[in-house]
Each structure stands twice: as C-alpha cells, then as structure tokens.
Amino acid sequence: MDDAVSDPLVLGQRVVAILETGARDATYKLALLMALIEHCIENLPDRRNDTLQVPIADLAHRVIDLYWRQVRPFEGQELVQRRTGNKARITDATKRLRAAAGIGNSGLSLEVAMMRVPDAYADAIDTVVIALAKQPLPRLQKLPGAAASDPFLYDDSFLGENVSRKILREHDDSIVLKPGVASGLARLAGLLKPALEIMWVDDIRRMNRFLDAEIPDVAGHLFGRDRLALSAIREPFTDAFGPHCFYCSSHLPTNNPIDHVLPWSLVGIDGLANLVLACARCNTDKSSALPAVAIVDRVLRRDRKTLEDIASELQWPTQRDRTIAAARGIYRGQPTGVPTWAGYKQTERLDVGFRPQWP
Ligand SMILES: [Zn+2]
C-alpha cells in the first residue's frame, strides 16, 4: 500500500499541490475533484484502506450538476470556464441539456431535466464521460510541465485524448481509487471543498475580464443555492408539516428560509429529503455547520409518503437514498468529539463510538 495516501493529511497536501501549481487552463479539474469528493462521501467504503471503484458516468452526472447553474448568463454574459483554445465539451453538453429540457434560465435542477428528457440526459452523460476520460481525468495528477502523471489517486494510464469507448468498457467504465483515497477525500471534504470553491472563483475572475471587483457575488452565482427555485417547496412543506421552524418550532412568517439539513457547502443535495423550513434565526446560526445526529435522525424520520407525494406533484425528487448515503459518509468520516449544531446557540459533541443506523 502507498503510505503517502494512507495519511489523509498527506493526501490533502498532494491534492492542493496539484491544484496550486501554475494557472489552470480550465475549471474542469476543480469540477472533477469536487465530483470525486462528493462521490466518496456518498460511497464511503467500510474499511479505511479499501479501494473504491468510481463509475465515470457518476462523475459525469456530478460534473454536469456543478456546471448546471454556472452556464446560465451572469450579469448578462456567458462565463468562460477555460482559456481560448481549450475545448468546451463539458459546458456545451450542459447547455444543450438545459435547452432540450426547455427550462431556460430557471433554477430548476438537473434531476428535473433527467425526468423530463431522459434521452437528452443520456446523451449529455455520454458526451461528458468521454470528455472527462480525454482531459481532466488523465491530467488531474500531472503537474504542469511534467512529462508523466503521478497517479497517487487512481491509475490513469488508459485515459487520454486517444481513449475509446472500447477501452473504457474494458475498464468497466470506471476509475479505481487507490487504497485509502476514498476515505481520505471524504474526511477532507470540509477543508477541500471550500478551498476548491475559492480557486474556482479566482479562475473565473481571471478568465472573464468583465468581472471586475465591482461585480458583487461571483461565488453566489457559481455555488449559491437558488432561493427562488427552492421557494417552490415552501407552500407544500407548510401544508404538510405546518408553518413551524424544523429546528426550534417557532411560528414562521411567509417568507421564511428553506434550509439544507446536510450543509449545501459539503454535499449539494437539493432533494426534498434534505430540505426543511426554518426560521431566519436558526438558518443563520446553523449556516454551514454540521447538524447534530439527532437532527438528521429526525429529518429522515419524516413521513416518506408525504415527501413522495410532494415530489411527484412538484417533479422534484426526494433524493432520500443520496441524503442517507451522504449522512453516513459525513458522520463516519468525523473524529469523535467534533462539535455539531444542535439548535440555536447550542452545540453538541459527536458521541464517542457513534455508529449511524440510518436505514
Ligand atoms: Zn428556528
């Protein structure tokens, strides 16, 4: 086993090193790494030093999801995500899928497009799988100027510009993360994801000169949740669960926030199973903190039939399985004793020996 990656700290340092060396030609490597980290959280292996097979199609879905909001015009212009000369296969495929689903510039999610136009979705995944296999996957572990790649995350020898569908099939259309990498990336998610977002915002400012300092919130456009789109769930949730804050039970005004129970900054799950009505006070106080396990228990115990009814009415998936998988991955990766958010101005330490029991 490679000792270097058995230590999450060393793994993190090596990941940061490949990202910080030289200016990037495109944001695709950042997207790929974010996708990998989220996949590891949701598919955490049982043992710390296990390998993990990652279907490239799964990464393609997550990468499209990351660009989903970003390809919408910002300040009236389309953002450039690469230097001139680099191919735009991934963002073009994302735009084509948005167009095929007929959702314009609305905040509707990728999952909605999946339901509406399954064939166009399959085409987009296919295009992005090949695009990932040609460029960011074989380049991620290669330092700028270096002749060879240093495959500390996964074997990338079969990937590159000449990769074919046949070659991918021979590798089960997957990459295999080396021993310890999956659990290491999952444990580092809370540190790496915000760092990747900052790098992404810097890249976008560098590649889009019209974004001078006066343009307010680039990060919000790239990574912000869409409040307008989320507001569609306010009414059905109020009808189903009452006009109360999920956390403190206070009575809610009509424009209350919608809160992501598992923080949006850690896993971007917009499914109904991860959403609750909250008061502004709790929402602000919780911010991107990890909620106490009891809160996750309570949100997962909400009536499934009710959520599924709302899901089919709104064409908005519950993503219950994803939420459970992410919760497992997040809490198992935490050291015991870590503080969690247990309510307004309350923290609770994660139990020693805690083993999540979510179904
Ligand atoms: Zn509250």
Side-chain angles (χ1 to χ4, degrees), residues 244-250 252 277-283 341 344:
H244 306 291
C245 171
F246 181 77
Y247 301 116
C248 72
S249 302
S250 67
L252 292 173
L277 304 177
C279 70
R281 200 179 69 134
C282 287
N283 182 251
W341 187 86
Y344 182 70

Side-chain angles (χ1 to χ4, degrees), residues 230-261 272 274-280 282-283 298-299 302 310 341:
L230 286 180
S231 66
I233 73 147
R234 192 176 284 124
E235 199 180 301
F237 268 39
T238 306
D239 290 346
F241 306 115
H244 306 291
C245 171
F246 181 77
Y247 301 116
C248 72
S249 302
S250 67
H251 194 273
L252 292 173
T254 49
N255 60 345
N256 63 277
I258 313 290
D259 190 67
H260 290 80
V261 178
L272 299 181
N274 192 38
L275 297 176
V276 296
L277 304 177
C279 70
C282 287
N283 182 251
R298 204 152 60 77
V299 80
R302 288 185 301 183
I310 299 172
W341 187 86

Side-chain angles (χ1 to χ4, degrees), residues 160-291:
E161 277 300 332
N162 298 322
V163 79
S164 64
R165 289 189 164 76
K166 181 167 171 285
I167 293 174
L168 288 181
R169 264 199 310 279
E170 286 163 8
H171 289 84
D172 297 323
D173 298 298
S174 302
I175 55 166
V176 178
L177 297 183
K178 302 208 162 182
V181 168
S183 79
L185 287 181
R187 289 184 70 175
L188 289 167
L191 296 171
L192 282 179
K193 284 202 71 189
L196 291 170
E197 289 187 6
I198 291 167
M199 292 180 194
W200 200 322
V201 171
D202 285 349
D203 283 2
I204 289 290
R205 284 197 183 274
R206 199 160 40 78
M207 293 170 189
N208 297 269
R209 290 295 175 195
F210 75 91
L211 294 176
D212 53 44
E214 282 165 37
I215 303 279
D217 189 13
V218 179
H221 176 75
L222 298 182
F223 303 109
R225 60 206 94 172
D226 195 310
R227 291 181 189 283
L228 209 64
L230 286 180
S231 66
I233 73 147
R234 192 176 284 124
E235 199 180 301
F237 268 39
T238 306
D239 290 346
F241 306 115
H244 306 291
C245 171
F246 181 77
Y247 301 116
C248 72
S249 302
S250 67
H251 194 273
L252 292 173
T254 49
N255 60 345
N256 63 277
I258 313 290
D259 190 67
H260 290 80
V261 178
L262 299 177
W264 169 269
S265 56
L266 206 51
V267 281
I269 300 179
D270 265 341
L272 299 181
N274 192 38
L275 297 176
V276 296
L277 304 177
C279 70
R281 200 179 69 134
C282 287
N283 182 251
T284 309
D285 189 56
K286 176 168 172 277
S287 182
S288 57
L290 200 61

Side-chain angles (χ1 to χ4, degrees), residues 89-90 125-138 161:
R89 291 179 284 223
I90 294 172
I125 291 292
D126 191 55
T127 304
V128 174
V129 163
I130 292 288
L132 289 174
K134 282 178 187 283
Q135 286 217 352
L137 273 169
E161 277 300 332

